[in-house]
């Protein structure tokens, strides 16, 4: 420790924080959730949408578009510029989303530093001219200064704006459009279960061809954490596999239903937030207190199923962190379908033998959605984490294998709806450590 400079120590702590990116604080090396922090609504720091031009050089930067984040832009010296990036409020988990566009009156090459407040550089920069097609910078095309927590990019700027972003964009408009496209299928229904802080619709999709609204359910959740785009990609493929015309998917739909809450934090997504909702709160810490309208709406909807005795087969909440990992629950915790998680993961492995599955089980005490599901329905569940930089085709392949394996496992079950046991419900959380 003696030779470790303070900045190196801070970087090391930052790395530990990052490793814990999406994880609950109960089992980690270091807890990033500040002690005593509650999920009551907190003020957001301002993020002004504006276009900033440098008169002497004719270089421009703007954040005037959906899901942007750029707090300031200025020229440091010569061809060196700096963008500063700050979260919606702090303290906050280190999920340092940025997104802005640049252009220049005349073509020129600039150096651009990304500097962060209350965080460090995390995401490999992606470039786009249309916010649809993105190209990740090669690691040789920028310098990530891990000690300073900054990144230095060399960019060619022209009169045509180029978007620079932490990840690809999947905005609320994109998710709503995807949901609308699914409702053209005769067995998919869409409804609105509530509104976000800013009045955006919290949508729900029901995939059900059984004719029975109380058929056993798989629940899918997405986008509690805005920057976690790889998780959103996985969720879309996972759900699309269940709605496909593959025979196994059709067999599933004739017996079971799937319920999808694809966009739990629409305000954070469109506001370019690092992690929180418009109430300044990490929604995936609010599944006990329910101080936020988004978590409350989803929980209220699900409790309706619980009150009708609907059997919960499995629940999946899609996220992203530094590597692919399935956060599951400890194996000694009793559930309604013992061993289902193990069989499901083994099934993924059988489909993709070269893909290395990483599973990290923990307890069911922390106030995350997976544990709310467990305490409400007694089911197995997973926080499905996709790596920030996992190759996009692999994300799709794994999500598809995950869907097929899940279908195969639940189709082997013998009348799970008859196994429902009301005594499991409404138990005190603390009694199930
Ligand atoms: Zn997350």
């Amino acid at each position: 420790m003696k030779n470790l400079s303070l900045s190196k120590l801070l970087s090391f702590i930052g790395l530990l924080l990052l490793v814990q990116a999406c994880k609950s604080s109960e089992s980690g090396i270091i807890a990033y959730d500040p002690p005593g922090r509650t999920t009551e609504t907190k003020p957001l720091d301002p993020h002004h949408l504006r276009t900033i031009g440098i008169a002497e050089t004719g270089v421009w930067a703007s954040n005037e578009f959906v899901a942007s984040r750029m707090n300031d832009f200025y020229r440091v010296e010569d061809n060196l510029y700096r963008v500063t990036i700050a979260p919606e409020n702090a303290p906050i988990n280190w999920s340092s989303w940025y997104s802005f566009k640049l252009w220049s009156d005349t073509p020129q090459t600039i150096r651009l530093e990304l500097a962060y407040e209350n965080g460090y550089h995390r995401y490999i920069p992606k470039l786009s001219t249309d916010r649809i097609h993105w190209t990740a910078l090669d690691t040789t095309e920028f310098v990530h200064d891990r000690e300073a927590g900054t990144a230095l990019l060399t960019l060619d700027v022209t009169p045509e704006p180029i978007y620079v972003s932490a990840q690809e964009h999947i905005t609320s408009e994109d998710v709503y459009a995807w949901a609308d496209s699914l409702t053209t299928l005769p067995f998919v229904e869409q409804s609105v279960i509530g509104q976000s802080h800013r009045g955006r619709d919290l949508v729900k999709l029901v995939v059900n061809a059984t004719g029975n609204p109380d058929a056993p359910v798989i629940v899918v959740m997405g986008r509690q954490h805005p920057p976690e785009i790889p998780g959103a990609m996985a969720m879309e493929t996972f759900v699309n596999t269940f709605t496909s015309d593959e025979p196994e998917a059709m067999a599933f739909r004739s017996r079971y239903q799937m319920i999808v809450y694809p966009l739990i934090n629409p305000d954070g997504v469109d506001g370019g937030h690092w992690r929180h909702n418009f109430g300044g709160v990490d929604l995936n810490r609010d599944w006990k207190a329910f101080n936020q309208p988004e978590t409350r709406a989803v929980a209220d909807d699900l409790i309706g199923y619980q009150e009708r005795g609907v059997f919960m087969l499995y629940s999946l909440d899609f996220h992203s962190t530094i590597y692919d990992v399935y956060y599951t629950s400890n194996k000694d915790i009793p559930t309604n379908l013992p061993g289902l998680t193990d069989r499901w993961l083994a099934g993924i492995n059988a489909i993709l033998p070269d893909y290395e599955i990483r599973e990290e089980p923990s307890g069911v005490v922390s106030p995350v959605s997976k544990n709310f599901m467990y305490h409400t329905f007694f089911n197995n569940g997973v926080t499905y984490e996709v790596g920030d930089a996992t190759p996009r085709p692999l994300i799709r392949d794994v999500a598809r294998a995950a869907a097929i394996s899940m279908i195969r496992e639940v189709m082997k079950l013998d009348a799970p709806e008859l196994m429902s046991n009301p005594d499991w419900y409404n138990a005190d959380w603390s009694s199930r450590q």
Side-chain angles (χ1 to χ4, degrees):
M1 219 48 161
K2 218 163 77 183
N3 295 327
L4 210 56
S5 70
L6 179 61
S7 62
K8 274 186 182 150
L9 180 62
L10 288 173
S11 294
F12 178 65
I13 291 170
L15 182 65
L16 289 179
L17 290 171
L18 181 55
V19 167
Q20 291 297 305
C22 250
K23 209 169 175 179
S24 64
S25 56
E26 72 198 38
S27 62
I29 316 160
I30 182 168
Y32 68 84
D33 290 330
R37 189 156 168 88
T38 71
T39 59
E40 277 144 26
T41 297
K42 297 165 183 66
L44 294 186
D45 295 334
H47 177 240
H48 301 292
L49 299 185
R50 56 192 175 145
T51 296
I52 302 170
I54 309 298
E56 311 87 66
T57 57
V59 177
W60 300 79
S62 175
N63 60 3
E64 296 191 73
F65 57 92
V66 169
S68 72
R69 182 135 302 247
M70 174 191 82
N71 296 76
D72 203 357
F73 171 72
Y74 53 91
R75 185 183 180 204
V76 179
E77 58 180 28
D78 302 327
N79 72 340
L80 176 63
Y81 299 79
R82 181 176 293 139
V83 160
T84 60
I85 300 147
E88 57 274 17
N89 62 350
I92 193 164
N93 170 285
W94 176 21
S95 303
S96 342
W97 174 265
Y98 54 89
S99 195
F100 50 87
K101 61 179 171 180
L102 292 170
W103 67 96
S104 169
D105 295 338
T106 55
Q108 54 188 301
T109 300
I110 66 167
R111 292 176 298 144
L112 181 70
E113 186 188 77
L114 307 184
Y116 298 84
E117 292 171 19
N118 291 302
Y120 309 89
H121 183 73
R122 166 168 168 181
Y123 299 106
I124 295 170
K126 322 279 184 303
L127 303 183
S128 174
T129 54
D130 58 8
R131 282 184 284 163
I132 297 168
H133 305 91
W134 295 90
T135 309
L137 286 186
D138 193 275
T139 46
T140 59
E141 294 174 295
F142 69 100
V143 178
H144 181 182
D145 184 337
R146 289 172 195 280
E147 208 156 300
T150 59
L152 184 64
L153 290 59
T154 302
L155 295 169
D156 294 325
V157 285
T158 71
E160 185 190 12
I162 186 165
Y163 292 88
V164 181
S165 188
Q167 295 285 24
E168 301 89 334
H169 277 210
I170 301 179
T171 65
S172 70
E173 191 184 342
D174 297 322
V175 180
Y176 292 140
W178 170 71
D180 287 345
S181 74
L182 286 180
T183 56
T184 61
L185 298 166
F187 49 83
V188 179
E189 275 186 24
Q190 184 177 189
S191 58
V192 174
I193 56 160
Q195 267 74 40
S196 68
H197 265 276
R198 304 203 75 187
R200 286 184 177 85
D201 284 344
L202 301 170
V203 298
K204 168 194 182 186
L205 294 167
V206 176
V207 180
N208 188 350
T210 67
N212 172 14
D214 292 341
V217 181
I218 291 176
V219 161
V220 170
M221 299 183 189
R223 226 55 197 287
Q224 292 197 70
H225 294 150
E228 300 180 4
I229 297 293
M233 293 171 171
M235 185 204 70
E236 192 179 301
T237 298
F238 188 84
V239 173
N240 285 347
T241 305
F242 276 82
T243 58
S244 74
D245 53 11
E246 293 184 47
E248 286 177 302
M250 292 169 71
F252 173 89
R253 295 196 300 267
S254 69
R255 189 171 168 194
Y256 301 126
Q257 62 177 323
M258 169 173 276
I259 294 172
V260 187
Y261 306 97
L263 182 63
I264 297 179
N265 186 2
D267 298 340
V269 165
D270 286 357
H273 285 193
W274 286 17
R275 187 158 181 101
H276 297 162
N277 70 341
F278 203 72
V281 165
D282 182 344
L283 291 178
N284 209 25
R285 299 293 179 272
D286 190 40
W287 292 90
K288 268 187 197 175
F290 298 108
N291 284 314
Q292 298 302 313
E294 295 88 355
T295 36
R296 230 168 20 233
V298 175
D300 284 349
D301 192 60
L302 285 165
I303 284 167
Y305 289 88
Q306 186 234 46
E307 287 172 348
R308 298 202 305 277
V310 174
F311 189 86
M312 187 60 56
L313 294 162
Y314 209 84
S315 63
L316 306 96
D317 184 10
F318 286 82
H319 289 256
S320 180
T321 186
I322 52 169
Y323 47 69
D324 293 4
V325 57
Y326 295 112
Y327 291 143
T328 59
S329 301
N330 290 334
K331 306 297 176 184
D332 58 352
I333 293 170
T335 62
N336 61 2
L337 297 170
L340 179 55
T341 293
D342 290 345
R343 296 194 297 277
W344 170 56
L345 295 178
I348 298 173
N349 194 238
I351 297 168
L352 297 174
D354 294 335
Y355 176 71
E356 196 179 329
I357 290 172
R358 183 195 287 247
E359 181 190 9
E360 294 182 13
S362 63
V364 289
V365 178
S366 63
V368 302
S369 69
K370 172 177 74 71
N371 297 341
F372 162 77
M373 292 301 295
Y374 174 74
H375 292 287
T376 307
F377 293 100
F378 207 50
N379 64 288
N380 292 280
V382 66
T383 307
Y384 186 123
E385 299 272 3
V386 184
D388 295 334
T390 299
R392 280 27 183 168
L394 181 61
I395 293 175
R396 308 276 183 195
D397 288 349
V398 174
R400 189 181 171 283
I404 295 293
S405 173
M406 182 62 71
I407 290 170
R408 288 177 182 167
E409 289 310 318
V410 296
M411 290 305 287
K412 290 177 193 165
L413 299 172
D414 186 23
E417 57 271 33
L418 301 177
M419 298 161 64
S420 180
N421 180 350
D423 294 341
W424 292 335
Y425 300 150
N426 299 318
D428 178 7
W429 279 57
S430 58
S431 69
R432 294 204 191 114
Q433 304 279 320

